[in-house]
Amino acid sequence: MEGRERVVIESITPQIDCGRYPVKRVVGDELVVEADIFSDGHDEVAGVLLYRQQHEKGWQEVPLSRLENDRWQGSFTLSELGSYHYTILGWVDHFLTWQKDLKKRHAAGQDIAVDILIGVQHIERAAELAGPELAEKLHETAQALAHAPNRQRAVAIGLAPQLSTTISGCCARDLATRYPDELCVTVDRERAVFSSWYELFPRSCGRDRRHGSFKDVQSLLPELAELGFDVLYLPPIHPIGMTKRKGRANAANAEPGDPGSPWAIGSPEGGHKAVHPELGTLEEFRELVREAGKKGMEIALDIAFQCSPDHPYLAEHPEWFLWRPDGTVQYAENPPKKYQDIVPFNFETASWRELWEELRSVLFFWMDQGVRIFRVDNPHTKPFPLWEWLIREAKQRSPEVLFLAEAFTRQKLMFRLAKLGFDQSYTYFTWRNSKQELVDYLEELTRGAAREFLRPNFWPNTPDILNQYLQVGGRPAFIVRLVLAATLSSNYGIYGPVYDLCLAAAEPASEEYQHAEKYQLQEWDRDAPGNLKAVIAALNRVRRENPALQRTNNVAFYPAEDDGVLFYGKSTPDGSNTVLGLVNLDPFHAKQVRIQVPLEELGIKPGQSYLVQDLLNGDHFIWQGAWNSILLDPAQTPARLFRIRSWLRRERDFDYYL
Amino acid sequence: MEGRERVVIESITPQIDCGRYPVKRVVGDELVVEADIFSDGHDEVAGVLLYRQQHEKGWQEVPLSRLENDRWQGSFTLSELGSYHYTILGWVDHFLTWQKDLKKRHAAGQDIAVDILIGVQHIERAAELAGPELAEKLHETAQALAHAPNRQRAVAIGLAPQLSTTISGCCARDLATRYPDELCVTVDRERAVFSSWYELFPRSCGRDRRHGSFKDVQSLLPELAELGFDVLYLPPIHPIGMTKRKGRANAANAEPGDPGSPWAIGSPEGGHKAVHPELGTLEEFRELVREAGKKGMEIALDIAFQCSPDHPYLAEHPEWFLWRPDGTVQYAENPPKKYQDIVPFNFETASWRELWEELRSVLFFWMDQGVRIFRVDNPHTKPFPLWEWLIREAKQRSPEVLFLAEAFTRQKLMFRLAKLGFDQSYTYFTWRNSKQELVDYLEELTRGAAREFLRPNFWPNTPDILNQYLQVGGRPAFIVRLVLAATLSSNYGIYGPVYDLCLAAAEPASEEYQHAEKYQLQEWDRDAPGNLKAVIAALNRVRRENPALQRTNNVAFYPAEDDGVLFYGKSTPDGSNTVLGLVNLDPFHAKQVRIQVPLEELGIKPGQSYLVQDLLNGDHFIWQGAWNSILLDPAQTPARLFRIRSWLRRERDFDYYL
């Protein structure tokens, strides 16, 4: 134990669960690190932020600057994919202390002769520890100080800032304290935090009631790219079991011709590494991935680690499943509900290592086909250690790979999945519809601990969830939820074309879609009247053109004098880009609402006019002052996205287009 | 890595800084431990709280019960002084899961034949893992279940609670997850959390202007015991240096006869292990300690690890000090202020180990004289690792020893000292005088993280601090601050007799006492008119008779319709004892104030009459309903302490005295 290490380092942020899990950032982010650093007594402390990439041995360092109340801050840029480690080094800086004290004594007119001698000693001691070139300079300075002709000169030499910087850098750190742990940050690519998802069922993309294929999907790529999506997510593309196949509308038994649920994976034609024969071939899938890439899009696959009763695994590896005393395999259950078309793995099998390795090989197989994004089905029903290992293995193989957790479950499980590695997470967004619900939920996600490890992905609908708001609200409701999802969260997705077409028919007293595409083929007229394509395209364009919308943690809420109107905004850290969102949550009735624009945040003086442009709808307003009144008519403009420009110099009255 | 450990354990409380420091309790406390415990999927989890005393090898266990939202709770009683370790073990309980599922299937009328067979398998498997006697019982139960004559009987056997308890206890824990760290709790004696301190200068206890002695202090013991104090704290009792001795009122130089500051320790007559010759002998000190003990009181000594320029250490161990280039020793400074009667240790000396050992020997020396409480002077100007080590060494030698930190400094330093081992801490209480200041500060201390490691000790005055409120407020102000200190905090102290005598003369524009006892002898007439002895005695009696006042974290604030009136209360956990405090913070003006009594907390129905007794002043009230009006006249009753009794059955109208 070194009892002379006087500096204390505490409360380093950001940090998750005592450093058990890494925080999340994307490439190009600046990681801002803070810590409490202090010592006993009055001496000055100083410190540096140490950081290194995972594979590097030596540390880089950045000086820490003092905030208030013993809090210090430093930052460094995360320029590479992968992991960085960081920690803090702090020490008592005797020379800085000497300078601080000299300044006070000099100002108080006290005799400083001995203090000057002490300063000379400090500098000479530093010279002993420094390299030869620096040592010579320091020795010169010490001599100059010792022989300074008068007090003024001595003080000037002694208080030179570069002198303390020099000594601090080279020779002040004996007895430094290093924080005992190394913290970690995972750096992903930009798409981890900014992505626009479109989900569709390939088998419904066929024409003339034919089972759709990868080629059909491929023909849709231009349109989807124009709409502005960058991730095309497909439900499982594997062969579907026949035994206990579900029929239409979740009927316990399928009729001939019913296609079954894509999540009931596996048949004699293959399992998790095979392609459903009616979708096409593996080569055609690879082509789809390539063609999507040319249009700036990625294919995301569904990872559903479960089997139909016909999956080859059951015969090849019966030890990976639970068998009932009557000799049948244990199917999925949540008593009293039974899901007999699904057989879960038994992760407590003694052969768990082989099972894990097979599942990893499934993941790697699809990565080899070019897939870099996976949406994981119900990860909360598989062991957490499995995901932590799988995600780490996958990212080691390819640091660009991303995982979205579809875990509609209790919050602590959702948070744990995010902590252990899932890059994005579905959330409770579908059940947050009122103003208070939205504000509370966004504040929880963006101001609480989760902001460091959970990246929300907001979906207004999924194949399992058509919420009541959409069921009754009509087209305006679909626009409202779309705008909320796509602007409150930088990651969002819609399940189409049912969303684009504002289809709102649900099973009675349920959030299940009627004629659910999970259980039957559909055929969609993507251009049917009332479709949302124009809105979607405009929205995705606004997202692409406004960096403020490419983050989630930066959302803030502003006053709107109506409990049914949400007013919020996002800005980039430097304030150069701001978008404000204004949404009438009532899909039936127009509202004239007063809102308070955050003038100070926008750098607008109270008396100043400013130009407000609705990026979604195109219209303009000229406002002055914070409080303004505006009409939100669901039939015309249920939601508005504002960009604000200060009014320029009076000579340039018509400078709308910058 | 065991990938089959499915249970997750997170967020164990109480915990300080990721388990770096122990939480604090006293003997007899129940330590309530909580944790988030969950698994993937729908299986039931179960867990136990493991605990052991520091010296024990094996764990004891207590079952955890489920709260809501995946939070679990357990507790155990801290019956011994010293340290305990605790942690959590959690596992998936398959038999509990089977029971839960069977119940649902049975209720839904489903066929349960195979489920019964599965249950038999579970029980037989448990029998394999159990001891021989239990195995036989389990085997019998399995058989009974397998051959149950009908469904009802089978379900009854299968759902028997003792069956799951048995299996859970003996055989369910393969693949259990144990939280990777052991947390720690330090258990001190009751006096750590409940103590009433009186500080006096022995040298001012003499008669006829004579320098007081331990014998003089001894003669005061009966009175102090009657007043109800249990700790008598003495400023340093060591020889005082002559060189640069401070004169009266902090004069830079002493006149002949000036006694100097007791904190300028050391002279040719000895240092930290010696007794100031005018105070008496070591034997007389030991006698004082013994006699105090017979009256239920303890002597607390002042640990001031610093020296006068005359301390023997300077000649014996010059290497323990910093020497200036002019050959003089570096005295204490906080530029531009100089404290030339004090020489601090240089804790960065290469001989730091020897210095630490000497300081430990000082502590042990006084412990050998019978001292078990130490008030440490300015610990924040000595290295934190020193205190962590010293306190640990002292408590290992004697678990009853207690340390009070006098660290009026920045909050993070104060908190660190508390975390690393100080049992009690001075606080910012002297500078918290308004209602809002008091409420905010108490909430910070009792609701924040500090509640687990910092035990406040509230002093309305110290030899260095006579705050403005007391300077101007007169006798009522002294009563107000006394009641606040002694009822908001279970540890409190006063520096007397200046406090008992309501002496309020300060240096101009300063919090320093005029004619400060630090620098000159005084002689007090303890019975002078206006003294607070009766109030003090009453207050200490109320504290002793009401367990609710023997804790600090239990304080709550209640509405009083006046920003100058504070209304608060404390209860024991079982609600059997409650004391409410009502204080007029204005020492000059009477106030008629409406207060809202917390009826529900007290178990009083809204229409019910209740008897209110002022424990301090003796008067009674009969109230009904929450809102009541009461007069607080500084001249009569600036503060009231209420105990409330429900009105008993109407037949017993005059049952005041229970």
Side-chain angles (χ1 to χ4, degrees):
Chain A
M1 191 221 337
E2 173 53 89
R4 293 173 296 169
E5 278 178 22
R6 295 162 57 198
V7 165
V8 171
I9 303 170
E10 287 186 329
S11 301
I12 298 185
T13 57
Q15 189 180 151
I16 299 168
D17 290 6
C18 304
R20 168 72 178 84
Y21 293 110
V23 300
K24 292 180 168 63
R25 295 291 187 273
V26 293
V27 172
D29 275 352
E30 199 187 16
L31 185 70
V32 177
V33 179
E34 291 185 7
D36 292 335
I37 306 178
F38 53 89
S39 165
D40 62 274
H42 310 114
D43 291 348
E44 288 289 299
V45 301
V48 290
L49 168 60
L50 303 177
Y51 67 95
R52 62 180 181 85
Q53 274 188 277
Q54 174 135 310
H55 55 270
E56 290 174 339
K57 289 253 178 316
W59 294 100
Q60 306 211 53
E61 64 176 61
V62 170
L64 292 166
S65 20
R66 189 196 301 263
L67 304 174
E68 58 172 18
N69 194 18
D70 298 303
R71 195 112 180 109
W72 294 71
Q73 190 187 81
S75 66
F76 65 99
T77 303
L78 303 164
S79 47
E80 309 279 331
L81 286 181
S83 293
Y84 287 72
H85 295 259
Y86 57 101
T87 189
I88 303 272
L89 184 76
W91 59 90
V92 172
D93 193 323
H94 292 289
F95 189 71
L96 259 183
T97 305
W98 176 83
Q99 284 189 326
K100 182 184 74 171
D101 291 349
L102 179 69
K103 192 167 173 183
K104 289 184 187 169
R105 292 183 175 114
H106 177 58
Q110 291 176 354
D111 179 359
I112 57 169
V114 180
D115 303 286
I116 295 299
L117 291 176
I118 292 174
V120 171
Q121 279 181 343
H122 278 304
I123 302 169
E124 292 287 15
R125 198 174 309 126
E128 282 167 27
L129 295 167
E133 197 182 307
L134 190 50
E136 198 183 318
K137 289 201 185 118
L138 287 170
H139 183 67
E140 275 173 31
T141 307
Q143 289 304 304
L145 182 59
H147 300 113
N150 55 53
R151 182 184 175 106
Q152 301 303 111
R153 188 82 198 105
V155 169
I157 294 171
L159 294 186
Q162 60 268 32
L163 188 51
S164 56
T165 310
T166 301
I167 294 179
S168 192
C170 77
C171 324
R173 305 187 188 182
D174 44 321
L175 305 180
T177 299
R178 203 166 100 178
Y179 188 75
D181 296 318
E182 288 182 24
L183 300 173
C184 190
V185 52
T186 311
V187 184
D188 292 294
R189 55 185 169 116
E190 177 82 5
R191 188 143 290 159
V193 76
F194 176 49
S195 57
S196 314
W197 292 53
Y198 192 86
E199 174 181 7
L200 55 70
F201 282 72
R203 67 188 186 185
S204 293
C205 296
R207 289 194 202 98
D208 310 319
R209 309 194 159 277
R210 198 173 30 83
H211 188 293
S213 68
F214 293 138
K215 288 236 166 274
D216 294 316
V217 177
Q218 202 170 311
S219 69
L220 285 178
L221 290 177
E223 177 190 327
L224 294 172
E226 260 198 57
L227 286 176
F229 291 103
D230 37 51
V231 181
L232 175 57
Y233 154 51
L234 313 178
I237 59 174
H238 315 298
I240 295 170
M242 285 295 310
T243 304
K244 295 287 188 187
R245 175 182 285 195
K246 296 258 179 167
R248 301 170 172 239
N250 199 25
N253 294 293
E255 302 289 314
D258 282 341
S261 162
W263 285 274
I265 297 167
S267 81
E269 285 148 329
H272 285 76
K273 293 175 185 169
V275 171
H276 193 295
E278 293 185 79
L279 287 178
T281 66
L282 200 54
E283 175 52 51
E284 285 167 341
F285 175 73
R286 281 199 292 270
E287 191 186 345
L288 172 61
V289 172
R290 277 195 306 270
E291 290 304 310
K294 289 179 191 167
K295 298 220 164 327
M297 294 174 63
E298 298 186 56
I299 302 295
L301 287 187
D302 197 313
I303 292 285
F305 284 152
Q306 61 195 22
C307 304
S308 83
D310 301 334
H311 196 298
Y313 283 155
L314 268 77
E316 291 164 14
H317 291 281
E319 71 279 8
W320 289 352
F321 304 91
L322 263 179
W323 296 88
R324 295 158 65 81
D326 63 356
T328 61
V329 73
Q330 178 60 64
Y331 45 83
E333 284 191 279
N334 192 7
K337 297 190 222 168
K338 300 172 190 263
Y339 308 97
Q340 286 168 316
D341 60 334
I342 305 289
V343 178
F345 290 106
N346 170 29
F347 284 100
E348 289 192 11
T349 173
S351 312
W352 67 274
R353 282 187 179 81
E354 289 77 22
L355 172 56
W356 281 31
E357 279 162 10
E358 172 65 15
L359 298 178
R360 178 181 58 181
S361 77
V362 167
L363 201 53
F364 285 4
F365 177 85
W366 294 104
M367 287 169 71
D368 288 344
Q369 310 311 313
V371 177
R372 285 292 173 276
I373 305 186
F374 296 96
R375 175 274 201 191
V376 179
D377 187 74
N378 287 328
H380 59 294
T381 59
K382 289 88 186 172
F384 295 98
L386 168 68
W387 298 119
E388 189 168 4
W389 177 75
L390 268 180
I391 293 174
R392 191 171 60 237
E393 292 280 302
K395 282 177 182 276
Q396 239 164 337
R397 200 171 207 254
S398 170
E400 299 107 20
V401 71
L402 299 172
F403 292 86
L404 165 62
E406 183 242 8
F408 292 111
T409 182
R410 308 187 306 282
Q411 194 189 69
K412 288 171 183 172
L413 280 69
M414 289 168 67
F415 279 15
R416 181 72 168 202
L417 290 165
K419 288 177 193 174
L420 61 76
F422 277 91
D423 300 285
Q424 300 179 5
S425 306
Y426 285 79
T427 68
Y428 295 149
F429 175 69
T430 37
W431 305 291
R432 299 291 181 268
N433 292 275
S434 77
K435 175 167 172 169
Q436 196 61 58
E437 286 170 346
L438 288 164
V439 170
D440 288 348
Y441 195 51
L442 265 299
E443 289 194 347
E444 186 185 319
L445 289 176
T446 66
R447 307 273 182 274
R451 59 174 286 141
E452 298 293 350
F453 58 80
L454 191 146
R455 296 194 189 97
N457 192 330
F458 277 8
W459 293 71
N461 73 330
T462 78
D464 305 304
I465 310 168
L466 174 67
N467 73 9
Q468 196 177 39
Y469 183 86
L470 295 174
Q471 288 181 34
V472 303
R475 190 172 186 273
F478 281 78
I479 294 175
V480 161
R481 295 296 291 170
L482 181 69
V483 172
L484 288 173
T487 57
L488 291 173
S489 177
S490 49
N491 291 315
Y492 93 103
I494 57 173
Y495 154 48
V498 290
Y499 200 88
D500 329 9
L501 300 175
C502 303
L503 296 180
E507 293 291 333
S510 165
E511 290 182 329
E512 290 285 340
Y513 272 94
Q514 221 180 46
H515 314 304
E517 211 171 351
K518 286 181 285 190
Y519 303 117
Q520 63 188 80
L521 299 188
Q522 292 281 7
E523 196 169 330
W524 307 114
D525 174 7
R526 301 182 56 81
D527 298 305
N531 76 73
L532 292 179
K533 284 211 253 185
V535 181
I536 293 170
L539 199 44
N540 281 337
R541 181 177 40 79
V542 172
R543 280 165 53 87
R544 270 199 319 277
E545 292 176 353
N546 289 277
L549 296 178
Q550 296 164 18
R551 292 294 183 274
T552 296
N553 285 340
N554 56 345
V555 70
F557 293 93
Y558 305 116
E561 279 186 348
D562 190 311
D563 283 342
V565 173
L566 192 70
F567 184 33
Y568 54 96
K570 289 182 166 179
S571 288
T572 47
D574 64 6
S576 61
N577 177 244
T578 300
V579 175
L580 304 179
L582 185 60
V583 180
N584 178 0
L585 301 173
D586 183 338
F588 305 120
H589 302 109
K591 286 176 187 282
Q592 185 81 27
V593 64
R594 286 193 356 121
I595 62 174
Q596 186 181 26
V597 177
L599 292 188
E600 202 175 325
E601 279 183 43
L602 297 166
I604 297 173
K605 298 195 193 70
Q608 192 177 352
S609 294
Y610 51 100
L611 177 65
V612 182
Q613 182 186 8
D614 183 337
L615 301 173
L616 256 192
N617 301 294
D619 34 350
H620 294 81
F621 308 81
I622 294 171
W623 284 348
Q624 177 181 313
W627 287 98
N628 291 274
S629 179
I630 188 165
L631 179 69
L632 294 164
D633 180 355
Q636 315 285 343
T637 53
R640 293 182 174 279
L641 295 177
F642 293 134
R643 199 161 56 198
I644 290 180
R645 298 233 170 78
S646 296
W647 199 257
L648 299 174
R649 296 183 306 273
R650 287 191 147 269
E651 309 91 87
R652 300 181 66 182
D653 269 5
F654 299 97
D655 196 90
Y656 294 101
Y657 309 101
L658 219 67
Chain B
M1 192 215 342
E2 173 50 89
R4 292 173 297 170
E5 279 176 20
R6 297 163 55 198
V7 165
V8 172
I9 303 170
E10 286 185 330
S11 301
I12 299 184
T13 57
Q15 186 179 154
I16 299 168
D17 289 5
C18 302
R20 167 73 176 84
Y21 294 110
V23 300
K24 293 180 167 65
R25 297 290 189 273
V26 292
V27 172
D29 275 352
E30 197 185 16
L31 184 70
V32 176
V33 179
E34 291 185 6
D36 292 336
I37 307 178
F38 52 89
S39 165
D40 63 273
H42 311 115
D43 293 346
E44 287 292 299
V45 301
V48 288
L49 168 60
L50 303 176
Y51 68 94
R52 63 181 180 86
Q53 272 188 278
Q54 174 136 310
H55 56 270
E56 291 175 335
K57 290 253 177 314
W59 293 99
Q60 307 211 51
E61 63 175 64
V62 169
L64 291 166
S65 21
R66 190 197 301 262
L67 303 175
E68 57 173 18
N69 195 18
D70 296 303
R71 196 109 180 110
W72 295 71
Q73 191 188 83
S75 67
F76 63 100
T77 303
L78 303 163
S79 47
E80 309 281 330
L81 285 182
S83 293
Y84 286 73
H85 294 259
Y86 56 101
T87 190
I88 302 271
L89 186 74
W91 60 89
V92 173
D93 194 324
H94 291 289
F95 189 71
L96 257 184
T97 306
W98 176 83
Q99 283 190 326
K100 182 182 76 169
D101 291 351
L102 178 70
K103 193 167 171 185
K104 288 184 185 170
R105 291 181 176 119
H106 177 56
Q110 292 175 352
D111 179 359
I112 57 170
V114 179
D115 304 284
I116 295 299
L117 291 176
I118 291 173
V120 171
Q121 279 181 344
H122 278 304
I123 302 168
E124 292 285 17
R125 197 174 310 127
E128 282 166 28
L129 296 166
E133 194 182 308
L134 190 49
E136 197 182 320
K137 287 201 187 123
L138 288 170
H139 184 66
E140 274 173 30
T141 307
Q143 288 306 302
L145 181 58
H147 300 116
N150 56 50
R151 185 186 174 103
Q152 299 304 110
R153 187 81 199 104
V155 168
I157 294 171
L159 294 185
Q162 60 269 34
L163 186 52
S164 56
T165 311
T166 301
I167 294 179
S168 192
C170 77
C171 324
R173 305 187 187 182
D174 44 320
L175 306 181
T177 299
R178 201 165 101 178
Y179 188 74
D181 297 317
E182 289 182 21
L183 302 172
C184 189
V185 52
T186 312
V187 184
D188 293 296
R189 54 189 171 114
E190 179 81 5
R191 188 141 291 159
V193 76
F194 175 49
S195 58
S196 314
W197 292 53
Y198 192 84
E199 173 180 9
L200 55 71
F201 282 72
R203 67 188 187 187
S204 294
C205 296
R207 288 194 202 98
D208 311 317
R209 305 192 162 279
R210 200 173 30 84
H211 189 293
S213 69
F214 294 137
K215 287 238 166 272
D216 294 314
V217 176
Q218 205 170 309
S219 68
L220 285 177
L221 289 179
E223 179 191 324
L224 294 172
E226 258 199 57
L227 287 176
F229 290 103
D230 37 53
V231 180
L232 176 55
Y233 154 50
L234 312 177
I237 59 173
H238 315 298
I240 296 172
M242 284 295 309
T243 303
K244 296 287 187 185
R245 174 181 285 194
K246 297 259 175 160
R248 301 167 170 242
N250 198 24
N253 294 290
E255 303 289 315
D258 283 343
S261 162
W263 285 273
I265 296 167
S267 83
E269 286 147 329
H272 286 76
K273 293 176 187 170
V275 171
H276 193 295
E278 293 184 83
L279 288 178
T281 67
L282 202 53
E283 176 51 51
E284 285 165 342
F285 175 75
R286 283 198 293 269
E287 190 184 346
L288 171 61
V289 172
R290 277 194 308 269
E291 290 304 310
K294 290 181 190 164
K295 296 220 168 320
M297 293 174 64
E298 298 187 56
I299 301 297
L301 286 188
D302 196 312
I303 292 287
F305 282 153
Q306 62 195 24
C307 303
S308 85
D310 301 333
H311 196 298
Y313 282 156
L314 267 80
E316 291 165 12
H317 290 283
E319 71 278 12
W320 290 352
F321 304 91
L322 263 181
W323 295 90
R324 294 159 64 82
D326 63 357
T328 60
V329 74
Q330 178 60 65
Y331 44 85
E333 285 192 280
N334 191 8
K337 298 191 220 165
K338 300 171 189 266
Y339 309 96
Q340 287 170 316
D341 60 333
I342 304 289
V343 177
F345 289 108
N346 171 28
F347 283 100
E348 288 191 12
T349 174
S351 311
W352 66 274
R353 282 186 180 83
E354 290 77 20
L355 172 56
W356 282 32
E357 279 162 11
E358 172 66 14
L359 299 178
R360 178 181 58 181
S361 77
V362 167
L363 202 53
F364 284 6
F365 177 84
W366 294 104
M367 287 171 68
D368 288 344
Q369 311 310 315
V371 176
R372 287 291 173 276
I373 305 186
F374 295 96
R375 175 272 202 192
V376 179
D377 188 75
N378 287 328
H380 60 294
T381 60
K382 288 87 185 175
F384 296 97
L386 169 68
W387 299 119
E388 190 168 1
W389 178 74
L390 268 178
I391 293 173
R392 190 169 63 237
E393 291 281 302
K395 284 176 182 276
Q396 240 164 334
R397 200 169 206 256
S398 171
E400 300 108 20
V401 72
L402 298 172
F403 292 86
L404 165 63
E406 184 242 7
F408 292 111
T409 183
R410 309 186 306 279
Q411 194 188 69
K412 289 171 184 173
L413 280 69
M414 289 168 67
F415 279 16
R416 180 73 167 200
L417 289 165
K419 287 176 194 175
L420 61 77
F422 278 91
D423 301 286
Q424 301 179 4
S425 307
Y426 285 79
T427 68
Y428 296 149
F429 175 69
T430 38
W431 305 290
R432 299 292 179 266
N433 292 275
S434 76
K435 175 166 172 170
Q436 196 62 58
E437 287 170 347
L438 288 163
V439 171
D440 288 348
Y441 194 50
L442 265 299
E443 291 194 345
E444 185 185 322
L445 290 177
T446 65
R447 307 271 184 272
R451 58 173 287 141
E452 296 294 351
F453 58 80
L454 191 146
R455 297 194 189 96
N457 192 329
F458 277 6
W459 294 72
N461 75 330
T462 78
D464 306 305
I465 309 167
L466 173 65
N467 74 9
Q468 197 177 38
Y469 183 86
L470 294 174
Q471 289 181 34
V472 304
R475 189 172 186 275
F478 281 78
I479 294 175
V480 162
R481 296 295 291 169
L482 181 71
V483 171
L484 288 174
T487 54
L488 290 174
S489 177
S490 48
N491 290 314
Y492 93 103
I494 58 174
Y495 155 47
V498 289
Y499 200 89
D500 328 10
L501 300 176
C502 305
L503 296 179
E507 293 290 334
S510 165
E511 289 183 331
E512 289 285 341
Y513 273 93
Q514 220 180 47
H515 314 304
E517 210 171 351
K518 286 181 285 189
Y519 303 117
Q520 62 187 84
L521 299 186
Q522 292 280 7
E523 194 169 333
W524 308 111
D525 174 7
R526 300 182 55 81
D527 297 306
N531 75 74
L532 292 179
K533 286 211 252 185
V535 182
I536 292 171
L539 199 43
N540 282 336
R541 180 178 39 80
V542 172
R543 281 166 53 89
R544 269 200 320 277
E545 291 175 352
N546 290 278
L549 296 179
Q550 296 164 17
R551 292 294 184 274
T552 297
N553 285 341
N554 57 344
V555 69
F557 293 94
Y558 305 115
E561 278 186 347
D562 190 311
D563 283 343
V565 173
L566 192 69
F567 183 34
Y568 55 96
K570 289 182 165 180
S571 288
T572 47
D574 64 6
S576 62
N577 177 243
T578 299
V579 175
L580 304 178
L582 184 61
V583 180
N584 178 359
L585 302 172
D586 184 339
F588 306 119
H589 302 109
K591 286 177 187 278
Q592 185 80 29
V593 64
R594 290 200 345 126
I595 62 175
Q596 185 180 26
V597 178
L599 294 187
E600 202 176 325
E601 280 181 45
L602 298 166
I604 298 173
K605 301 195 191 70
Q608 194 179 352
S609 293
Y610 51 101
L611 177 63
V612 183
Q613 182 186 8
D614 183 336
L615 301 173
L616 256 192
N617 303 293
D619 35 349
H620 295 82
F621 308 81
I622 294 172
W623 283 348
Q624 176 180 314
W627 286 98
N628 290 275
S629 179
I630 186 164
L631 180 71
L632 294 164
D633 180 354
Q636 315 285 342
T637 52
R640 293 182 174 280
L641 294 178
F642 293 134
R643 199 160 57 198
I644 290 181
R645 298 230 171 80
S646 297
W647 200 258
L648 300 175
R649 296 181 309 274
R650 288 188 145 272
E651 309 91 88
R652 302 183 64 184
D653 269 3
F654 298 98
D655 198 87
Y656 293 101
Y657 309 102
L658 218 65

